C-alpha cells in the first residue's frame, strides 16, 4: 500500500471536505468563502454517512445551498 493511500485513508474526512470545496468551486465558477464553509462541512458529513461514495458527494454538492444560490 502506498504512503499516499495510507495518508488519505487516515484522513478521509479532511480529504472529503477538501474535495467538496474543489467541486463546488468548479461547479459555481467562483472561489469559496467563509460563508460557504458550513455547506462544505455538511456535504462532507453527509458523504461520510453514505460511505464516502463519489456519487453521494456529487449529489450533495448539487443539492447544497451554495450550488443553488445565484
Amino acid at each position: 500500500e502506498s504512503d499516499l493511500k495510507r495518508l488519505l485513508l487516515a484522513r478521509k474526512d479532511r480529504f472529503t471536505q477538501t474535495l467538496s470545496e474543489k467541486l463546488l468551486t468548479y461547479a459555481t465558477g467562483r472561489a469559496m468563502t467563509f460563508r460557504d464553509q458550513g455547506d462544505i462541512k455538511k456535504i462532507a458529513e453527509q458523504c461520510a454517512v453514505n460511505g464516502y461514495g463519489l456519487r453521494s458527494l456529487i449529489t450533495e454538492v448539487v443539492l447544497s445551498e451554495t450550488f443553488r444560490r445565484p
Side-chain angles (χ1 to χ4, degrees):
E1 210 171 321
S2 74
D3 291 337
L4 177 60
K5 184 176 180 180
R6 264 195 302 276
L7 179 64
L8 292 176
L9 288 172
R11 300 182 69 188
K12 283 183 191 178
D13 293 338
R14 185 67 194 132
F15 177 78
T16 304
Q17 197 167 341
T18 301
L19 185 55
S20 300
E21 183 174 349
K22 299 302 180 191
L23 285 172
L24 276 170
T25 298
Y26 178 77
T28 61
R30 66 173 180 82
M32 295 295 102
T33 65
F34 181 76
R35 184 176 98 173
D36 303 308
Q37 293 305 309
D39 265 353
I40 292 168
K41 187 174 180 181
K42 285 181 199 174
I43 291 167
E45 288 171 354
Q46 192 58 45
C47 186
V49 168
N50 293 330
Y52 293 102
L54 183 59
R55 180 177 292 167
S56 173
L57 178 61
I58 292 170
T59 299
E60 293 303 322
V61 165
V62 171
L63 294 175
S64 72
E65 274 298 312
T66 300
F67 179 77
R68 297 183 312 160
R69 188 177 329 143

